[in-house]
Amino acid sequence: MQPFEFSRTGDLQSAYSAYRAAAAEETSAARSRSEYLAGGTTLIDLMKLGVMRPERVVDINDLEAWRRCRGEPMKRRLR
Amino acid sequence: MLSTMSVTFLDRSSANAAPAATGAPHVPYTTTINVNGQRYHLALDVRTTLLDALRDHIGVTGSKKGCDHGQCGACTVMVDDRRVLSCLALAASVQGRNVTTIEGLAQDDGTLHPMQQAFIDNDAFQCGYCTPGQIVSAVACVKEGHAATDADIREYMSGNLCRCAAYPNIVDAINQAKTKMKEA
């Protein structure tokens, strides 16, 4: 697995800031070097295989918004 | 795995939480994990998975590394009562959470968890490599309320593979243990 910068935050705004970490590089290319980490079953697996090589990983498991996320049949609601 | 190059220090007594450092590559990431009621302060390569942290750094080797790709379930642990594949979770991601492994199921006096006893009673394994993951998963399966029927058990245990194909006995074991777990 390629090394990466890791940050973990429970705040939506700081998660987004961390995702776009280098302020000077506000381009789609800069963003593509960041990945959000939620469950990880796909991201970590693909990182182990070298398919995904993010330079920054932003762990969003602590986001308050998750607690307001409701699942219904065929629907996901984020309030 | 390339995550073995790291410094580890264990502090089982100190209650001071390590600072949640923003991990830059190659700088050890300090994190605190609660494993089976014990708190561990670790300085790890940020790439270290929860499974490697448990096995190589904390020394709790019950959780097994089967495929290391989330396909076999041998590494299943509980994080705050939810089943998690520890090979696909970063140790840094479970900071401050409560991790339960197979070692954390039995009582302090050595009395086995009803699920562990049920696996023995029903001969629910052959080689035993998948068994820690099977048992942790089975406990969670019952707690989630997904063990009502044999079909439910098979469905909700489908993330745990057994190359010895002890599946019928595993279903029997879960049926036995779910009654005992309700009584407890």
Side-chain angles (χ1 to χ4, degrees):
Chain A
M1 198 188 292
Q2 296 291 312
F4 51 86
E5 262 179 60
F6 179 85
S7 59
R8 182 176 159 183
T9 173
D11 172 65
L12 203 57
Q13 195 56 51
S14 54
Y16 190 52
S17 308
Y19 184 76
R20 296 186 311 173
E25 310 172 67
E26 242 182 79
T27 63
S28 58
R31 284 200 293 276
S32 72
R33 297 204 296 270
S34 298
E35 290 295 338
Y36 289 119
L37 173 64
T41 47
T42 302
L43 181 64
I44 304 292
D45 192 26
L46 292 180
M47 283 166 67
K48 282 184 178 182
L49 293 167
V51 176
M52 303 283 276
R53 298 174 187 187
E55 289 171 16
R56 279 181 293 273
V57 172
V58 182
D59 187 336
I60 53 171
N61 281 291
D62 292 339
L63 273 197
E64 195 60 35
W66 287 134
R67 281 169 217 138
R68 288 176 278 138
C69 183
R70 294 278 173 273
E72 298 164 33
M74 308 303 285
K75 246 191 250 175
R76 290 290 178 271
R77 194 181 297 260
L78 192 60
R79 277 172 283 182
Chain B
M1 277 300 295
L2 298 169
S3 62
T4 48
M5 293 284 288
S6 61
V7 192
T8 305
F9 40 83
L10 303 179
D11 178 357
R12 298 180 183 209
S13 55
S14 169
N16 297 329
T22 297
H26 305 305
V27 177
Y29 187 87
T30 54
T31 186
T32 307
I33 312 174
N34 301 316
V35 179
N36 301 328
Q38 194 92 261
R39 175 181 269 197
Y40 296 90
H41 299 290
L42 304 168
L44 303 167
D45 185 312
V46 74
R47 294 169 288 183
T48 311
T49 59
L50 175 57
L51 179 62
D52 286 339
L54 289 170
R55 292 182 56 85
D56 299 342
H57 299 276
I58 295 175
V60 175
T61 56
S63 310
K64 298 290 182 259
K65 185 182 278 192
C67 65
D68 210 22
H69 281 286
Q71 295 170 7
C72 72
C75 66
T76 308
V77 300
M78 278 188 275
V79 176
D80 293 340
D81 289 334
R82 280 187 72 186
R83 289 186 262 186
V84 165
L85 296 169
S86 61
C87 75
L88 291 183
L90 294 176
S93 285
V94 297
Q95 171 150 359
R97 300 194 199 281
N98 295 310
V99 179
T100 308
T101 69
I102 186 73
E103 287 92 343
L105 291 181
Q107 291 172 21
D108 289 341
D109 65 2
T111 309
L112 293 180
H113 187 280
M115 191 63 75
Q116 292 174 304
Q117 190 58 52
F119 266 64
I120 295 171
D121 295 346
N122 291 277
D123 206 12
F125 50 85
Q126 285 180 47
C127 81
Y129 195 82
C130 71
T131 310
Q134 296 278 4
I135 292 178
V136 170
S137 204
V139 169
C141 178
V142 172
K143 282 186 179 168
E144 291 160 10
H146 289 145
T149 64
D150 284 7
D152 264 7
I153 292 171
R154 288 178 189 281
E155 175 65 20
Y156 285 94
M157 289 296 292
S158 63
N160 291 79
L161 303 185
C162 173
R163 292 293 306 272
C164 307
Y167 299 113
N169 296 2
I170 292 172
V171 173
D172 292 347
I174 295 175
N175 276 320
Q176 176 188 314
K178 77 180 178 195
T179 326
K180 294 243 172 73
M181 284 173 68
K182 266 181 210 152
E183 289 165 5

